Amino acid sequence: MSRFVKKSPSICTDRPLDNTDVCTKLRLLKQLLRSCFGPTGRLKHVHNNIGGHVVTTSTSSVLLTAATSSQPLINLIKSSILHHVSRFSDCGLFAAVLCLSLIEEAKQCGLRRNVNKHLLGVCTAYLQQEDCGCKVPLDFCSSQDLITLSRSVVSSKPACVLTEAEALHISRLAVRAFLLTVPCNSPGTVTLGRIVSVGVEGHPVLNSEVFPGLLVEMHDVFCLKTAENLRSEPLRVVLFSASLAGDLSELGDGIIQVHPGVDTDSQILDQLLELCERVIEDGVKLFVCQKVIHPVLQQYLRRHGVIVMERVGISLMEPLALLTGALPVATLHTTIPAKAYGTVKEVSVKEFGSKTMLHLEPSGESAICTMILCHRNETMLSELKVVCQQTEHVLRLTLREPSALLGGGCTETHLAAYIRHKSMEEVTEKASALGCSQTEYLLGVEGFCRSLESVAAALHHDGGNSLIDLTHAHHWTLPADAMTENMEDSSGLCCGCGLVKSGPKVDMKWTHLNTEHPQFSPAAVLKDRPVQPHVLDSFTAKINALQVAVETANLVLDVRFVIQDTN
Amino acid sequence: MLGSTIINRRQHVGLQKLSALAGITHSSLGPHKKYKFIQDDRSGESALVCSCFRILENLELTCAVGQLVYQTIQVHQKVYHTGSGCLLFLAGAWSRVALECLQRGISVAHIISAMSEGLDICFDVCRKFNISTEGFGAEQSQSSKVTSQDLGLQVSKKLTMEGSQAWTGLKGNTRDALKTLNACGQKKIRLSRHFCEAKSENISNELEEHQPKHPDIKYISERLSHGCVDAMNLVFEASRTQSNSIQQDTSCPTFDITKVMTCVLPGLPEEQACVTPGCILLLSAEQASVAHHLKDQLLKVVLINGDLSFNYSHLGFKRPTGIQRVSEETALSSSSKEEDWMEKVVMLLLNLEVDLILVSGLVSEKVIQRCSRHHILALEKVNVSVLKGLADASGAVPVTYATQLSKHCVGAGVKVAIWRDLSSYERKPSIAVNISTGVNSKLVTVVLTSCIEGKLQALEDQFWACAYRLHLALKEKALLPGAGVTEMLCIHHLQKQAERDSSQQTKEAAVANPYRSVVLHLMADGLIDYLSTVMVNTGKFSKVQAWTAVSQQLQACNQSPGVLSKFSELFLEAEKEGRAMSLPVKSPDAPSTNVFDNLSVKQEAWRKASDLVFLVLQTDAEVITGIDQKTEAAQGNLTLL
């Protein structure tokens, strides 16, 4: 085959970060993501260019999935952030904003050798320390810390449009659901259960609820007839993943030749009826199928007092198998072994809005629960669902590492202060170890710390001022339109995470972020303080986000050429 | 490719769009709605609409804000069937509040927190001033005049009750106050949370002396008609028919909305709309003789959920494509197979002595003909909820295929009556039959008629709006004072709070939100705008007059709170006259001196309106995916990533 168009040569960009187009795009991406950050972040309408469905959101996973660029560098950043989000759910925007700030800072001071990797090591080492000033151990004896943690996640997404009471209700539900997924007394390796969430549109958020077990929607109004006379004794369950519609769906494109007198449909149906007969003989009282069940079978089963559930869908199959202990039957041609049957303790009917659902309760311990999420419109409901999944994930991560970091920007400012202090102490040996001059080293440190602080400052979207106190290096906010000029004059304020309060008795000095101040060693807030932090971030997610941000930024800074095939 | 537009902060385009969208539906607000034609220039089709929801439904809204609005209204309509106009109006009014605030340089965070507080104030008003329906109107209906004063008294009483001193003052004469209130029927006041349990015990003690009184549905329904008197009369009839058909038990009357269905008949004058127990279905002329044959007997019925035809197969069944029939003889043609099937089905029906088949899907012409020959009536397109109702009442078990039928699937005791001969109205001759199961079935059909076919949808919407209003009132057992009184109370409270804020500038309040007073004032103005628009729609006021009337009342209200009841009179005076003008048939002395609103409908509409404003206000950019960089990069307002 001959070519009609001559192949055009590849385009090679030398030092892509010096290219204005690349810089504009990086700045735009930063502006886009930075404006979404935090509980007062701005939302974005995401839609395609032909007037398709509009999503209103501020979550990084949705935004970054939608963002595709012609710039490979941007796609590189995007994919590494998305990868982080897929593993940890939280701190996606933090990672993105930090990464883009680091790139900007490094570009501005024009350092050839960057010290970011070394500083990342200092950060992680500090965060892993017992006496780290921005880490709080989680207390599993009370649900308070877990609720605070989940509330911080829930209220960080303004597109949910929740009132205070609603946010608290959802956070509590998330914690309750999480606790239900932790099995209590199973020996050996513990496997966490599942949370299945069901959305109900148009109803008040406070109607949202969590139930142990599974709630499965009933499609057919006539199914209820048998379900109404439910017993509360354990029921034997069979679970089919194969279709029982009575057609030859397994045939594919093949051809079968049959005698004209043969009625294939009724023969298949007879076979299915035989199968059902055996199932009934085995004492099954709840018959569940992922796909369609032939109406004749349904009628037959119901007449024998069996509750029938069809079309439950693939997503519910795994939770159903976990809950009942049944093995999904994928073929219709063998007898069903006894061990394939499962049990449920109780079946009842529950109604939510226009949805009628069958509530299956496990007979043993199963760690499966269903979260019914209600919200007033579709946009807010879909954001709420995303947020609840995030919360679930964040809570799970606490089992791996039972600590949390202070939220509200306090971790960032505290870390920055710590690094400034630490690197001043050991400037000579570190500079020589890294093979750079002391000035270069300090410039690098300054850039890194400024990037961290700029993430804390990104929490403001209404022109507020960021300050730090010179004792604990926590993050404070002075609203743009506040009556007072200085923090010293205003009393009763508290820092971003809520652990430190200002007042007449407290002797504290404040300074604006990004202003010259003498470096100091930030003191940890006394551990036995009665005050609990109001905002907590996931430890595991944040520490990973920090690593992803720094490593991605380093990678981007190291790119010398971009070679693009334009064909 | 991806582009994004950054919206100018001070002139928020999204909020302007929201306000403009809301503007379209101003004329469909309040009891005096005006019809609108929506015309599609391309196809030349047009639609006659009169409610906010139908207007939006007929507009093709592709922009982001439009989609958000439509989505919200759609869900609200699905759940409540009423209040969409109020929702959209307030979304528009409050988006102008947000715009105004932005122009004054107030930050988004402050606008949102102050507006949420404003909304809380309004909800507090709803909590304080809602009226329990218990024993409502049981004895009041004879003299409506007393009631109107009564309500005025009640509202004013409550106004003075505010504050904790009022509570202590009231404690002494609680019984007296309650006695006067309860003198003509046990109207139980649901009080704010400050009035704790002790109070309700008081009331219950007094109530025990009497037989528990159920709310008078007639009384409530009249006051919830909101201008749709005819529709509400039908709703009342439907609820009465339901209670008549079941043995009255002593439990509280409810209105089972799931058992109500509507049937629209074009061509008949509107006065012929009526309510009948059972289910009304239209028949073709061929089946009329069968219906005549079966009328007034107790029939055996089978129910089929699906189509009744040879080719029908259930949902999810795929016909195999790769089957080859190998044969030496000539194979049976498919038509003869159909014949076999038909024979089998008819034999089965005859054996089971079935008289009536109700099918949720379609019935093939051949089946209808064959059944008619054997005096079996096969009716298609029967609502699934009707099938469910009939299954419960007759004992029939719905099946998917006729071949599934067996003895235990057959229900008994169903009656078919010729309801009406419609031959003179329709082009082709047809009759309407009534399928009923006699006692203990709540199934009710409301027949809506109009000479103008385009109006039928509006009439049906009005009926359902009224039906849901009554249903919700009985379910929630609480109502709000209507005709603008609740809004007036909210305005009053918002303004009072705003004044309190600006007069005592405490330091803490200033730090918390220095702009609360401004925002609350503007929110109150939004509600005044709402009230005056409703008044303008009556045709009796100009915008200026309406606005003046509202603010005069507010001033008077600030001086002596009792005046508020007068406002509702002023409001209703106009409405009554308006109604008398638009419907000269109705006698103007109908007892409609006071009006109620539904509690949850109002609260949800307000909440959803503020949701819309908050969502749009917080949005600062649009991210558009799939942009072709070469062609669309030229557009100035796009920035490409």
Side-chain angles (χ1 to χ4, degrees), chain A residues 143-144 146-148 150-151 168-184 194-195 206-213 367-372 388 391-392 395:
Chain A
S143 57
Q144 194 49 51
L146 292 180
I147 291 176
T148 309
S150 81
R151 195 168 171 196
L168 188 62
H169 181 70
I170 293 292
S171 328
R172 286 211 182 107
L173 284 187
V175 173
R176 184 139 37 102
F178 161 69
L179 292 175
L180 284 172
T181 62
V182 184
C184 290
R194 286 269 306 267
I195 302 176
L206 294 176
N207 287 3
S208 306
E209 257 185 274
V210 167
F211 295 98
I368 303 268
C369 67
T370 308
M371 197 167 180
I372 307 276
C388 284
T391 316
E392 181 198 350
L395 290 172

Short mmCIF file of all heavy atoms in Angstrom, two decimals, chain A residues 143-144 146-148 150-151 168-184 194-195 206-213 367-372 388 391-392 395:
data_model
loop_
_atom_site.label_atom_id
_atom_site.label_comp_id
_atom_site.label_asym_id
_atom_site.label_seq_id
_atom_site.Cartn_x
_atom_site.Cartn_y
_atom_site.Cartn_z
N SER A 143 -15.54 7.06 68.90
CA SER A 143 -15.74 7.31 67.47
C SER A 143 -15.44 8.75 67.09
O SER A 143 -15.51 9.13 65.94
CB SER A 143 -17.16 6.94 67.08
OG SER A 143 -18.05 7.68 67.87
N GLN A 144 -15.09 9.56 68.13
CA GLN A 144 -14.95 10.99 67.89
C GLN A 144 -13.92 11.33 66.81
O GLN A 144 -14.20 12.07 65.87
CB GLN A 144 -14.58 11.69 69.21
CG GLN A 144 -14.72 13.19 69.18
CD GLN A 144 -16.08 13.61 68.61
OE1 GLN A 144 -17.12 13.13 69.06
NE2 GLN A 144 -16.07 14.46 67.60
N LEU A 146 -12.70 9.40 64.48
CA LEU A 146 -13.11 8.90 63.17
C LEU A 146 -14.15 9.82 62.56
O LEU A 146 -14.12 10.10 61.36
CB LEU A 146 -13.67 7.48 63.29
CG LEU A 146 -12.67 6.39 63.68
CD1 LEU A 146 -13.36 5.04 63.77
CD2 LEU A 146 -11.54 6.33 62.67
N ILE A 147 -15.06 10.31 63.38
CA ILE A 147 -16.09 11.22 62.86
C ILE A 147 -15.45 12.51 62.38
O ILE A 147 -15.77 13.03 61.32
CB ILE A 147 -17.19 11.48 63.92
CG1 ILE A 147 -18.00 10.20 64.14
CG2 ILE A 147 -18.10 12.61 63.49
CD1 ILE A 147 -19.03 10.28 65.22
N THR A 148 -14.48 13.02 63.17
CA THR A 148 -13.79 14.25 62.75
C THR A 148 -13.09 14.03 61.41
O THR A 148 -13.17 14.87 60.51
CB THR A 148 -12.73 14.64 63.80
OG1 THR A 148 -13.35 14.66 65.07
CG2 THR A 148 -12.15 16.00 63.49
N SER A 150 -13.80 11.81 59.08
CA SER A 150 -14.72 11.65 57.95
C SER A 150 -15.42 12.97 57.65
O SER A 150 -15.72 13.28 56.51
CB SER A 150 -15.70 10.52 58.21
OG SER A 150 -16.75 10.93 59.01
N ARG A 151 -15.63 13.75 58.70
CA ARG A 151 -16.28 15.03 58.48
C ARG A 151 -15.39 15.97 57.68
O ARG A 151 -15.86 16.76 56.86
CB ARG A 151 -16.61 15.66 59.82
CG ARG A 151 -17.57 16.77 59.65
CD ARG A 151 -18.12 17.22 60.92
NE ARG A 151 -18.86 18.42 60.65
CZ ARG A 151 -19.23 19.24 61.59
NH1 ARG A 151 -18.94 18.99 62.82
NH2 ARG A 151 -19.90 20.31 61.27
N LEU A 168 -22.75 16.50 59.37
CA LEU A 168 -22.47 15.68 60.55
C LEU A 168 -23.17 14.33 60.43
O LEU A 168 -22.60 13.28 60.74
CB LEU A 168 -22.93 16.43 61.82
CG LEU A 168 -22.53 15.78 63.13
CD1 LEU A 168 -21.02 15.73 63.25
CD2 LEU A 168 -23.12 16.53 64.31
N HIS A 169 -24.41 14.39 59.97
CA HIS A 169 -25.19 13.15 59.82
C HIS A 169 -24.48 12.20 58.86
O HIS A 169 -24.32 11.01 59.15
CB HIS A 169 -26.58 13.50 59.30
CG HIS A 169 -27.49 12.32 59.12
ND1 HIS A 169 -28.00 11.61 60.18
CD2 HIS A 169 -27.97 11.72 58.01
CE1 HIS A 169 -28.75 10.62 59.73
NE2 HIS A 169 -28.76 10.66 58.41
N ILE A 170 -24.05 12.73 57.72
CA ILE A 170 -23.38 11.89 56.72
C ILE A 170 -22.05 11.35 57.27
O ILE A 170 -21.73 10.18 57.08
CB ILE A 170 -23.15 12.69 55.42
CG1 ILE A 170 -24.49 13.02 54.74
CG2 ILE A 170 -22.25 11.94 54.45
CD1 ILE A 170 -25.23 11.83 54.18
N SER A 171 -21.30 12.19 58.00
CA SER A 171 -20.03 11.72 58.55
C SER A 171 -20.26 10.58 59.53
O SER A 171 -19.52 9.60 59.56
CB SER A 171 -19.29 12.83 59.28
OG SER A 171 -19.53 14.05 58.71
N ARG A 172 -21.29 10.75 60.35
CA ARG A 172 -21.61 9.69 61.32
C ARG A 172 -21.98 8.41 60.61
O ARG A 172 -21.54 7.32 60.98
CB ARG A 172 -22.78 10.13 62.21
CG ARG A 172 -22.40 11.17 63.21
CD ARG A 172 -23.25 11.01 64.48
NE ARG A 172 -22.92 12.05 65.42
CZ ARG A 172 -23.72 13.08 65.69
NH1 ARG A 172 -24.89 13.17 65.10
NH2 ARG A 172 -23.35 14.00 66.56
N LEU A 173 -22.81 8.56 59.57
CA LEU A 173 -23.22 7.38 58.81
C LEU A 173 -22.01 6.68 58.22
O LEU A 173 -21.91 5.46 58.24
CB LEU A 173 -24.17 7.77 57.68
CG LEU A 173 -25.60 8.11 58.03
CD1 LEU A 173 -26.40 8.30 56.76
CD2 LEU A 173 -26.23 7.02 58.87
N ALA A 174 -21.08 7.49 57.67
CA ALA A 174 -19.90 6.92 57.04
C ALA A 174 -19.10 6.12 58.05
O ALA A 174 -18.63 5.01 57.75
CB ALA A 174 -19.05 8.02 56.43
N VAL A 175 -18.97 6.66 59.27
CA VAL A 175 -18.22 5.94 60.30
C VAL A 175 -18.96 4.67 60.69
O VAL A 175 -18.37 3.60 60.81
CB VAL A 175 -17.98 6.85 61.53
CG1 VAL A 175 -17.37 6.06 62.66
CG2 VAL A 175 -17.08 8.00 61.16
N ARG A 176 -20.29 4.79 60.85
CA ARG A 176 -21.07 3.61 61.23
C ARG A 176 -20.94 2.52 60.16
O ARG A 176 -20.71 1.36 60.47
CB ARG A 176 -22.54 4.00 61.41
CG ARG A 176 -23.39 2.87 61.90
CD ARG A 176 -24.41 3.24 62.97
NE ARG A 176 -25.05 4.52 62.83
CZ ARG A 176 -26.30 4.68 62.36
NH1 ARG A 176 -26.97 3.65 61.93
NH2 ARG A 176 -26.84 5.87 62.31
N ALA A 177 -21.03 2.95 58.90
CA ALA A 177 -20.92 1.98 57.81
C ALA A 177 -19.54 1.34 57.82
O ALA A 177 -19.41 0.12 57.68
CB ALA A 177 -21.17 2.68 56.48
N PHE A 178 -18.51 2.16 58.04
CA PHE A 178 -17.15 1.62 58.08
C PHE A 178 -17.02 0.60 59.21
O PHE A 178 -16.46 -0.49 59.02
CB PHE A 178 -16.16 2.77 58.28
CG PHE A 178 -14.82 2.35 58.77
CD1 PHE A 178 -13.97 1.62 57.94
CD2 PHE A 178 -14.39 2.67 60.04
CE1 PHE A 178 -12.73 1.21 58.39
CE2 PHE A 178 -13.15 2.27 60.49
CZ PHE A 178 -12.32 1.54 59.67
N LEU A 179 -17.56 0.94 60.39
CA LEU A 179 -17.44 0.02 61.51
C LEU A 179 -18.18 -1.29 61.23
O LEU A 179 -17.75 -2.36 61.66
CB LEU A 179 -17.98 0.67 62.79
CG LEU A 179 -17.15 1.85 63.31
CD1 LEU A 179 -17.82 2.51 64.49
CD2 LEU A 179 -15.74 1.40 63.67
N LEU A 180 -19.28 -1.19 60.47
CA LEU A 180 -20.02 -2.41 60.14
C LEU A 180 -19.23 -3.31 59.19
O LEU A 180 -19.49 -4.51 59.11
CB LEU A 180 -21.37 -2.06 59.51
CG LEU A 180 -22.46 -1.58 60.46
CD1 LEU A 180 -23.66 -1.08 59.68
CD2 LEU A 180 -22.88 -2.70 61.40
N THR A 181 -18.27 -2.73 58.47
CA THR A 181 -17.51 -3.57 57.53
C THR A 181 -16.32 -4.25 58.21
O THR A 181 -15.62 -5.02 57.58
CB THR A 181 -16.95 -2.74 56.35
OG1 THR A 181 -16.05 -1.77 56.86
CG2 THR A 181 -18.04 -2.09 55.55
N VAL A 182 -16.07 -3.90 59.47
CA VAL A 182 -14.97 -4.56 60.17
C VAL A 182 -15.53 -5.76 60.92
O VAL A 182 -16.35 -5.60 61.82
CB VAL A 182 -14.30 -3.59 61.18
CG1 VAL A 182 -13.09 -4.26 61.82
CG2 VAL A 182 -13.90 -2.32 60.50
N PRO A 183 -15.11 -6.97 60.54
CA PRO A 183 -15.66 -8.14 61.22
C PRO A 183 -15.18 -8.20 62.66
O PRO A 183 -14.05 -7.81 62.96
CB PRO A 183 -15.12 -9.31 60.40
CG PRO A 183 -14.03 -8.77 59.58
CD PRO A 183 -14.21 -7.31 59.45
N CYS A 184 -16.06 -8.65 63.56
CA CYS A 184 -15.73 -8.58 64.99
C CYS A 184 -14.93 -9.78 65.47
O CYS A 184 -13.89 -9.63 66.08
CB CYS A 184 -17.00 -8.49 65.82
SG CYS A 184 -17.81 -6.94 65.62
N ARG A 194 -17.90 -4.94 52.75
CA ARG A 194 -18.18 -3.98 51.69
C ARG A 194 -19.29 -3.04 52.10
O ARG A 194 -20.19 -3.41 52.86
CB ARG A 194 -18.66 -4.72 50.43
CG ARG A 194 -17.59 -5.45 49.67
CD ARG A 194 -16.98 -4.55 48.59
NE ARG A 194 -17.95 -4.00 47.70
CZ ARG A 194 -18.31 -4.55 46.54
NH1 ARG A 194 -17.79 -5.68 46.16
NH2 ARG A 194 -19.19 -3.96 45.76
N ILE A 195 -19.22 -1.81 51.57
CA ILE A 195 -20.36 -0.90 51.72
C ILE A 195 -20.99 -0.75 50.34
O ILE A 195 -20.32 -0.39 49.38
CB ILE A 195 -19.91 0.50 52.21
CG1 ILE A 195 -19.19 0.39 53.55
CG2 ILE A 195 -21.10 1.43 52.33
CD1 ILE A 195 -18.64 1.69 54.05
N LEU A 206 -31.19 14.10 55.54
CA LEU A 206 -31.27 13.50 56.87
C LEU A 206 -32.03 12.17 56.85
O LEU A 206 -32.02 11.45 57.83
CB LEU A 206 -31.92 14.49 57.85
CG LEU A 206 -31.08 15.74 58.12
CD1 LEU A 206 -31.82 16.71 59.02
CD2 LEU A 206 -29.74 15.36 58.74
N ASN A 207 -32.67 11.85 55.73
CA ASN A 207 -33.31 10.54 55.62
C ASN A 207 -32.32 9.44 55.26
O ASN A 207 -32.69 8.27 55.22
CB ASN A 207 -34.40 10.55 54.54
CG ASN A 207 -35.63 11.31 54.98
OD1 ASN A 207 -35.64 11.87 56.08
ND2 ASN A 207 -36.65 11.34 54.15
N SER A 208 -31.08 9.82 54.96
CA SER A 208 -30.07 8.82 54.63
C SER A 208 -29.86 7.90 55.82
O SER A 208 -29.96 8.33 56.97
CB SER A 208 -28.74 9.49 54.28
OG SER A 208 -28.93 10.44 53.28
N GLU A 209 -29.54 6.64 55.51
CA GLU A 209 -29.41 5.67 56.60
C GLU A 209 -28.42 4.58 56.24
O GLU A 209 -28.11 4.37 55.07
CB GLU A 209 -30.76 5.01 56.87
CG GLU A 209 -31.47 5.53 58.11
CD GLU A 209 -32.73 4.77 58.40
OE1 GLU A 209 -33.79 5.13 57.83
OE2 GLU A 209 -32.66 3.81 59.16
N VAL A 210 -27.98 3.86 57.26
CA VAL A 210 -27.11 2.70 57.03
C VAL A 210 -27.77 1.48 57.64
O VAL A 210 -28.32 1.55 58.74
CB VAL A 210 -25.73 2.93 57.69
CG1 VAL A 210 -24.95 1.64 57.74
CG2 VAL A 210 -24.95 3.96 56.93
N PHE A 211 -27.76 0.39 56.90
CA PHE A 211 -28.33 -0.86 57.40
C PHE A 211 -27.29 -1.96 57.31
O PHE A 211 -26.59 -2.07 56.30
CB PHE A 211 -29.52 -1.28 56.55
CG PHE A 211 -30.67 -0.34 56.60
CD1 PHE A 211 -30.86 0.61 55.61
CD2 PHE A 211 -31.57 -0.40 57.65
CE1 PHE A 211 -31.92 1.49 55.66
CE2 PHE A 211 -32.64 0.48 57.70
CZ PHE A 211 -32.81 1.43 56.70
N PRO A 212 -27.20 -2.79 58.32
CA PRO A 212 -26.38 -3.99 58.16
C PRO A 212 -27.06 -4.92 57.17
O PRO A 212 -28.29 -4.97 57.12
CB PRO A 212 -26.35 -4.61 59.56
CG PRO A 212 -27.54 -4.05 60.25
CD PRO A 212 -27.83 -2.72 59.65
N GLY A 213 -26.30 -5.61 56.38
CA GLY A 213 -26.90 -6.48 55.37
C GLY A 213 -27.07 -5.73 54.07
O GLY A 213 -26.50 -4.67 53.86
N ALA A 367 -20.14 -8.56 57.61
CA ALA A 367 -19.49 -7.26 57.42
C ALA A 367 -19.89 -6.58 56.11
O ALA A 367 -19.11 -5.88 55.49
CB ALA A 367 -17.97 -7.41 57.49
N ILE A 368 -21.13 -6.81 55.70
CA ILE A 368 -21.65 -6.12 54.52
C ILE A 368 -22.71 -5.14 55.02
O ILE A 368 -23.54 -5.50 55.85
CB ILE A 368 -22.34 -7.10 53.56
CG1 ILE A 368 -21.38 -8.20 53.14
CG2 ILE A 368 -22.94 -6.38 52.37
CD1 ILE A 368 -20.62 -7.92 51.91
N CYS A 369 -22.68 -3.93 54.51
CA CYS A 369 -23.76 -3.04 54.89
C CYS A 369 -24.18 -2.18 53.70
O CYS A 369 -23.47 -2.09 52.71
CB CYS A 369 -23.36 -2.15 56.06
SG CYS A 369 -22.08 -1.00 55.68
N THR A 370 -25.36 -1.62 53.80
CA THR A 370 -25.90 -0.81 52.71
C THR A 370 -26.11 0.60 53.22
O THR A 370 -26.64 0.81 54.30
CB THR A 370 -27.23 -1.39 52.23
OG1 THR A 370 -27.04 -2.75 51.93
CG2 THR A 370 -27.72 -0.66 50.99
N MET A 371 -25.67 1.55 52.43
CA MET A 371 -25.81 2.94 52.80
C MET A 371 -26.81 3.57 51.83
O MET A 371 -26.56 3.59 50.62
CB MET A 371 -24.45 3.61 52.67
CG MET A 371 -24.35 4.92 53.37
SD MET A 371 -22.61 5.35 53.41
CE MET A 371 -22.68 6.90 54.27
N ILE A 372 -27.92 4.03 52.37
CA ILE A 372 -28.90 4.70 51.53
C ILE A 372 -28.59 6.19 51.58
O ILE A 372 -28.62 6.79 52.65
CB ILE A 372 -30.34 4.48 52.05
CG1 ILE A 372 -30.63 3.00 52.24
CG2 ILE A 372 -31.36 5.16 51.16
CD1 ILE A 372 -31.06 2.27 51.03
N CYS A 388 -18.67 9.92 49.81
CA CYS A 388 -18.83 8.82 50.76
C CYS A 388 -17.85 7.69 50.46
O CYS A 388 -17.33 7.06 51.37
CB CYS A 388 -20.26 8.32 50.75
SG CYS A 388 -21.33 9.42 51.64
N THR A 391 -14.57 8.78 51.79
CA THR A 391 -14.53 8.69 53.25
C THR A 391 -14.30 7.25 53.68
O THR A 391 -13.50 6.98 54.58
CB THR A 391 -15.86 9.18 53.84
OG1 THR A 391 -16.22 10.37 53.17
CG2 THR A 391 -15.74 9.46 55.30
N GLU A 392 -15.01 6.34 53.02
CA GLU A 392 -14.85 4.93 53.35
C GLU A 392 -13.38 4.52 53.21
O GLU A 392 -12.79 3.89 54.08
CB GLU A 392 -15.72 4.09 52.41
CG GLU A 392 -15.64 2.60 52.68
CD GLU A 392 -16.13 1.77 51.50
OE1 GLU A 392 -16.69 2.34 50.56
OE2 GLU A 392 -15.90 0.55 51.53
N LEU A 395 -11.14 6.05 55.90
CA LEU A 395 -11.30 5.38 57.19
C LEU A 395 -10.60 4.03 57.18
O LEU A 395 -10.00 3.62 58.17
CB LEU A 395 -12.78 5.22 57.51
CG LEU A 395 -13.52 6.52 57.85
CD1 LEU A 395 -15.00 6.28 57.96
CD2 LEU A 395 -12.99 7.10 59.15
#
